């Protein structure tokens, strides 16, 4: 069996809200990399999600696992990978960093930002594939890179309201990739999720469910406020749950049933 020579590739982790310009940015950087003869591929959960004729909440675990599998396969075959996703929780970015370390690859994190009003304007201009309410909610809950953990500081921050010199940014990426110390990176990144309370985990689960239901049109715009209030009420009830080994899959199913029941 041929032994893979890991370490020649890198993982470029994008993070930013919808309509900030991640897909346009990733395609431009990918093209610049190809011009320098750097084998690379753009991957992301949306690329898999859009391959389904319809979306169901039950698909999400498969989508996440499939995306991680493809990233690992690409790194294992010496492709550099650009991850075109919102990655708006620091836990998502952490998981990607650990995948890079698993393959002795450096990672470069790039935070793309723009004001909320501009994100909403851009979203309207491109037909509101995602309701503006979802973007507003994500904006409020967004884990801005580096605000909670030192290991989460972005390597590069890009203001997408300004003209972007993709060639210059690629040179920055290559310089960072050359100078980064894998050993230091491994020591900085927690291998497991930073301590998270049961309520925080339930909050993340329910927020993801609501966001995906709205994004895929399963919830009408007129019902967004109602579902948001249902989620707040659900979280309030969950505060009464005793800590310990909770069945989060059961809680997820109960929340979905709660939404379906109240929307009928």
């Amino acid at each position: 069996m041929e032994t893979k020579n890991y370490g020649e590739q890198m993982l470029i982790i994008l993070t930013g809200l919808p309509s900030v310009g991640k897909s346009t940015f990733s395609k431009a950087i990918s093209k610049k990399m190809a011009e320098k003869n750097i084998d690379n591929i753009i991957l992301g959960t949306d690329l898999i999600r859009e391959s389904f004729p319809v979306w169901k909440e039950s698909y999400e675990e498969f989508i996440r696992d499939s995306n991680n599998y493809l990233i690992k396969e690409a790194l294992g075959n010496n492709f550099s990978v650009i991850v075109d996703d919102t990655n708006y929780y620091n836990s998502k970015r952490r998981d990607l960093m650990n995948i890079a370390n698993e393959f002795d690859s450096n990672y470069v994190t790039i935070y793309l930002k723009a004001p909320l009003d501009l994100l909403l304007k851009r979203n309207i201009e491109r037909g509101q594939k995602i309701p503006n309410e979802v973007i507003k909610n994500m904006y409020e809950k967004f884990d801005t890179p580096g605000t909670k953990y030192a290991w989460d500081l972005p390597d590069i921050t890009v203001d997408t309201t300004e003209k972007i010199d993709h060639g210059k940014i690629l040179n920055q990426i290559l310089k960072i990739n050359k100078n980064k110390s894998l050993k230091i990176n491994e020591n900085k990144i927690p291998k497991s999720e930073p301590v998270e309370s049961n309520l925080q985990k339930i909050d993340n689960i329910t927020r993801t469910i609501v966001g995906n239901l709205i994004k895929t049109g399963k919830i009408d715009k007129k019902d967004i406020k109602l579902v948001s209030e249902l989620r707040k009420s659900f979280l309030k009830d969950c505060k009464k749950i005793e800590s310990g080994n909770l069945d989060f899959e059961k809680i997820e199913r109960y929340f979905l049933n709660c939404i379906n029941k109240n929307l009928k």
Side-chain angles (χ1 to χ4, degrees):
M1 181 180 293
E2 180 183 357
T3 302
K4 297 294 181 185
N5 182 23
Y6 298 140
E8 296 177 4
Q9 70 289 72
M10 61 179 157
L11 185 65
I12 300 173
I13 304 168
L14 303 188
T15 181
L17 293 168
S19 296
V20 77
K22 294 184 301 299
S23 295
T24 300
F25 179 86
S26 61
K27 290 173 184 176
I29 291 296
S30 175
K31 184 177 179 180
K32 291 291 184 183
M33 292 173 73
E35 289 172 0
K36 289 183 177 290
N37 202 30
I38 301 172
D39 294 328
N40 73 90
I41 184 172
I42 300 171
L43 295 172
T45 55
D46 276 348
L47 298 174
I48 300 173
R49 196 173 287 113
E50 291 169 1
S51 298
F52 289 96
V54 295
W55 176 86
K56 296 180 181 178
E57 173 62 31
S58 59
Y59 295 170
E60 282 301 306
E61 183 177 359
F62 172 81
I63 291 169
R64 183 191 66 245
D65 292 345
S66 296
N67 189 52
N68 288 342
Y69 171 80
L70 290 172
I71 291 171
K72 291 179 180 181
E73 282 293 299
L75 292 175
N77 284 278
N78 289 325
F79 286 96
S80 288
V81 179
I82 302 171
V83 184
D84 177 11
D85 261 331
T86 56
N87 293 315
Y88 64 103
Y89 295 143
N90 54 57
S91 60
K92 294 177 182 292
R93 301 190 289 267
R94 178 216 65 220
D95 290 344
L96 290 169
M97 293 172 188
N98 281 322
I99 288 176
N101 282 335
E102 180 183 341
F103 286 84
D104 289 337
S105 302
N106 277 327
Y107 63 84
V108 177
T109 56
I110 303 178
Y111 170 36
L112 288 87
K113 66 177 186 177
L116 177 59
D117 58 348
L118 180 58
L119 296 178
L120 299 179
K121 181 175 180 290
R122 288 176 178 173
N123 189 49
I124 292 171
E125 289 172 350
R126 68 180 193 177
Q128 288 200 66
K129 293 181 179 179
I130 302 173
N132 274 350
E133 287 300 319
V134 174
I135 297 178
K136 289 178 183 177
N137 185 55
M138 291 176 71
Y139 183 86
E140 292 173 359
K141 303 295 184 181
F142 185 64
D143 284 339
T144 303
T147 55
K148 291 184 180 180
Y149 307 103
W151 56 262
D152 192 35
L153 282 167
D155 293 301
I156 299 171
T157 298
V158 178
D159 184 344
T160 63
T161 65
E162 301 176 354
K163 185 176 180 180
I164 301 173
D165 186 337
H166 297 95
K168 182 178 179 180
I169 291 176
L170 177 56
N171 287 335
Q172 288 180 268
I173 292 171
L174 296 177
K175 184 177 180 180
I176 292 167
N177 183 52
K178 181 178 179 181
N179 295 333
K180 265 197 171 183
S181 167
L182 287 170
K183 185 175 181 181
I184 292 175
N185 289 339
E186 286 185 326
N187 290 336
K188 283 170 56 181
I189 307 168
K191 288 295 183 183
S192 58
E193 185 121 7
V195 177
E196 179 183 48
S197 69
N198 286 327
L199 188 60
Q200 285 175 319
K201 187 161 186 177
I202 294 170
D203 177 68
N204 288 338
I205 289 171
T206 56
R207 190 186 311 137
T208 299
I209 289 173
V210 171
N212 285 329
L213 287 173
I214 296 173
K215 182 177 179 180
T216 54
K218 296 292 184 179
I219 298 176
D220 291 335
K221 292 181 181 179
K222 63 181 177 63
D223 293 324
I224 290 177
K225 186 175 181 180
L226 170 61
V227 172
S228 179
E229 292 301 319
L230 283 173
R231 195 180 83 85
K232 289 178 183 178
S233 177
F234 185 81
L235 289 174
K236 187 176 180 180
D237 290 340
C238 286
K239 288 181 180 179
K240 305 171 186 177
I241 299 176
E242 295 183 1
S243 60
N245 294 322
L246 299 181
D247 187 340
F248 291 104
E249 289 186 2
K250 186 175 181 180
I251 291 172
E252 181 177 336
R253 290 195 298 272
Y254 183 79
F255 179 61
L256 281 168
N257 288 336
C258 178
I259 290 177
N260 291 330
K261 181 179 178 181
N262 281 276
L263 289 183
K264 286 183 179 179

